Each structure stands twice: as C-alpha cells, then as structure tokens.
Amino acid sequence: MITFKNNNWQPTTVAFIQSLVWSKKDVTITFFCQEKEEEKGWPNRQEVFVAVEVQFKNCTQFKLNFEGDTLQPAFGFDILAVSANGWENIHFQIEENENDCIGFYCEAIEVLSKVSVKL
C-alpha cells in the first residue's frame, strides 16, 4: 500500500537524495524533486525543488552506493509492484533509474511531507 498524506508525488521527478534515516527495518528518505521541463536543463538548481519525505516500511535487501558528501544524484526511480511474487511482507521493489545508487524491497510506502525549497 502507498499512502499519500500530502498530495500526490511522482518518483520520476526525483533529482537528489538529501537525507536517509534507517530505523529498525524502516527507511525514511528526503528527496529533492523537480518537474522536468523540456526547454530547460534538468535538474535546474536555479529553480525551486520540492522536498518530499517518504517512509519505506519493512525494508529488506537494501543496497546503497553513495559517493561524496553532498546531495546524491538520483535521477528518478521506479516503484514496482511485486506482490504477485508471493514474498511474505514484500509488496514493492524500489530501483533508482540512472546511477544505481539505491535499491531495496519494502512492504509499504508513506509520503510524510512535501514542501518547496530553494537550493
């Protein structure tokens, strides 16, 4: 189940991972997101981003490959429904699209907050 507390959010708009907090089997990630505009480069640091805090519950097979100590590029990712595979407590697979910086499976996803930010 994916729960949205504050408006809908699309994982394809993720430009950066700002922070990641691991708590037992849950992971809370703050993403900086920005709509893609064809006539402008993306991501555009001159434009406003949306900081989206997402909690992934009951995570397993967590893979993390970050470099440096600044914002981690994560140019969109996929949320794949894998419930049909019959795995106990696993309903989603999370995959980052370009940099392969993060990947895992989880039971549920909850969008906790969404606010506009300027970098």
Side-chain angles (χ1 to χ4, degrees), residues 9-17 31-34 36 42 72-79 94-102:
W9 159 75
Q10 297 298 316
T12 56
T13 64
V14 169
F16 301 103
I17 294 174
F31 298 104
F32 284 166
C33 304
Q34 190 177 72
K36 296 177 183 177
W42 185 87
Q72 176 63 41
F75 301 127
F77 65 91
D78 292 322
I79 299 176
I94 310 305
E95 297 180 328
E96 193 269 334
N97 292 330
E98 282 191 33
N99 297 323
D100 198 31
C101 66
I102 192 166

Side-chain angles (χ1 to χ4, degrees), residues 47-95:
E47 298 292 327
V48 173
F49 285 80
V50 176
V52 180
E53 184 179 38
V54 182
Q55 185 176 53
F56 300 91
K57 299 179 181 186
N58 197 22
C59 297
T60 186
Q61 297 184 26
F62 198 86
K63 175 185 72 172
L64 186 64
N65 183 21
F66 281 8
E67 294 182 20
D69 59 358
T70 61
L71 292 174
Q72 176 63 41
F75 301 127
F77 65 91
D78 292 322
I79 299 176
L80 307 171
V82 295
S83 297
N85 293 346
W87 300 329
E88 186 175 343
N89 299 324
I90 301 298
H91 299 290
F92 301 101
Q93 179 181 3
I94 310 305
E95 297 180 328

Side-chain angles (χ1 to χ4, degrees), residues 1-9 52-57 79 92 107-113:
M1 171 171 67
I2 301 176
T3 305
F4 297 98
K5 284 189 175 178
N6 296 18
N7 301 321
N8 289 339
W9 159 75
V52 180
E53 184 179 38
V54 182
Q55 185 176 53
F56 300 91
K57 299 179 181 186
I79 299 176
F92 301 101
E107 182 175 9
I109 302 166
E110 183 175 357
V111 177
L112 303 175
S113 67

